[in-house]
Amino acid sequence: MAAPTALQRSVVSPAGRHTASLIFLQGSGDTGQGARTWIKQILNQDMAFQHIKVIYPTAPARPYTPMKGAFSTVWFDRYKISNDCPEHIESIDSMCQGLTDLINDEIKNGIAKNRILIGGFSMGGGMAMHLAYRFHQDLAGVFALSSFLNKDSAVYQALKRNQSVLPELFQCHGTADELVLYSWGEETNKMLKSLGVSASLHTFPNLNHELSRTEIEKLKTWIVKKLPVEAAKTN
């Protein structure tokens, strides 16, 4: 299999010593730079930390079935935007390989695996759950904003066979979401909990398929709890 080309990425460097990394996956049709700009507009500044590097990779363009095969920057293909159809597992798995390379780049930079968080918005959150719960169960945690997994997801199948301690999941969803229904997010949360994931679901009344300031502030608090500042090591 040909090595996937390195993903383009937009990076917010930490203000101080880099001891942890956060990978934020965009929603379908967006870019890493687009996701970063969106969050920056909501917060009036970058989502930035003293010790955490924030990486916004861009999904490669591929034909996307819900758009009648038109090219779009999506993490994987879908037969349709629904929670009750099969997953397009081949495209999910090949993307897991490309994102594993990104995780390995951080490890090569001296960041421990349990100091790396992964998550995203919409399709990005779905991608993050596949990546962490199927292939990288030793990551610091996972977040999924307005995201869902299909009813018979490969993630659930993997967790049924799992014995190890799993990364915690931080989930947010708006009740007025018309693209990814709130009930899909809720069902994903219940399924993952039943399979041993420590998962929280934060509900945002009247929020559609979008991000809100309160949500990002809550996420930032959780990020710092999962990736606290490390005391400087003394030799």
Side-chain angles (χ1 to χ4, degrees):
M1 188 175 140
T5 49
L7 297 167
Q8 279 187 298
R9 53 198 89 165
S10 180
V11 175
V12 182
S13 298
R17 197 168 68 93
H18 175 207
T19 65
S21 295
L22 167 73
I23 298 169
F24 189 107
L25 305 179
Q26 44 142 112
S28 59
D30 200 357
T31 61
Q33 185 59 52
R36 175 182 174 178
T37 303
W38 189 20
I39 289 174
K40 199 172 178 175
Q41 282 165 346
I42 295 169
L43 295 176
N44 296 317
Q45 59 180 16
D46 264 317
M47 180 167 73
F49 303 89
Q50 188 61 30
H51 60 297
I52 306 167
K53 173 174 156 187
V54 185
I55 305 160
Y56 295 94
T58 295
R62 57 167 303 129
Y64 189 43
T65 302
M67 286 173 53
K68 298 186 167 49
F71 270 71
S72 186
T73 46
V74 289
W75 297 112
F76 49 88
D77 198 7
R78 283 189 170 125
Y79 297 106
K80 56 182 179 185
I81 299 172
S82 162
N83 72 339
D84 97 13
C85 63
E87 289 176 318
H88 198 291
I89 201 70
E90 186 192 344
S91 61
I92 292 173
D93 286 359
S94 79
M95 200 63 246
C96 283
Q97 187 52 58
L99 288 165
T100 293
D101 292 345
L102 188 59
I103 291 170
N104 289 339
D105 283 349
E106 291 311 294
I107 295 167
K108 281 179 202 137
N109 287 335
I111 302 302
K113 190 105 170 263
N114 65 358
R115 297 279 293 164
I116 300 173
L117 270 181
I118 185 149
F121 175 72
S122 193
M123 177 186 262
M127 186 75 233
M129 290 187 275
H130 273 275
L131 190 66
Y133 293 122
R134 292 176 56 214
F135 301 104
H136 298 283
Q137 295 178 345
D138 43 357
L139 288 169
V142 187
F143 60 92
L145 315 174
S146 311
S147 308
F148 73 101
L149 291 170
N150 294 31
K151 282 184 193 294
D152 60 349
S153 175
V155 173
Y156 303 148
Q157 308 311 318
L159 294 184
K160 280 173 187 164
R161 300 186 295 270
N162 173 65
Q163 300 300 316
S164 61
V165 179
L166 297 161
E168 184 188 327
L169 174 69
F170 177 93
Q171 220 179 328
C172 294
H173 217 115
T175 58
D177 196 328
E178 289 167 2
L179 183 69
V180 174
L181 302 185
Y182 177 76
S183 59
W184 300 356
E186 201 175 29
E187 194 176 299
T188 300
N189 190 274
K190 281 182 185 148
M191 273 299 291
L192 289 171
K193 271 186 177 154
S194 75
L195 293 164
V197 175
S198 163
S200 57
L201 175 59
H202 304 269
T203 302
F204 293 83
N206 308 319
L207 186 70
N208 203 321
H209 196 64
E210 58 195 338
L211 294 171
S212 79
R213 187 176 182 122
T214 326
E215 179 183 11
I216 298 170
E217 295 293 1
K218 262 192 180 174
L219 174 63
K220 282 182 73 177
T221 305
W222 179 79
I223 289 167
V224 175
K225 193 181 86 188
K226 298 308 291 180
L227 301 174
V229 176
E230 285 186 330
K233 292 183 180 72
T234 50
N235 292 334

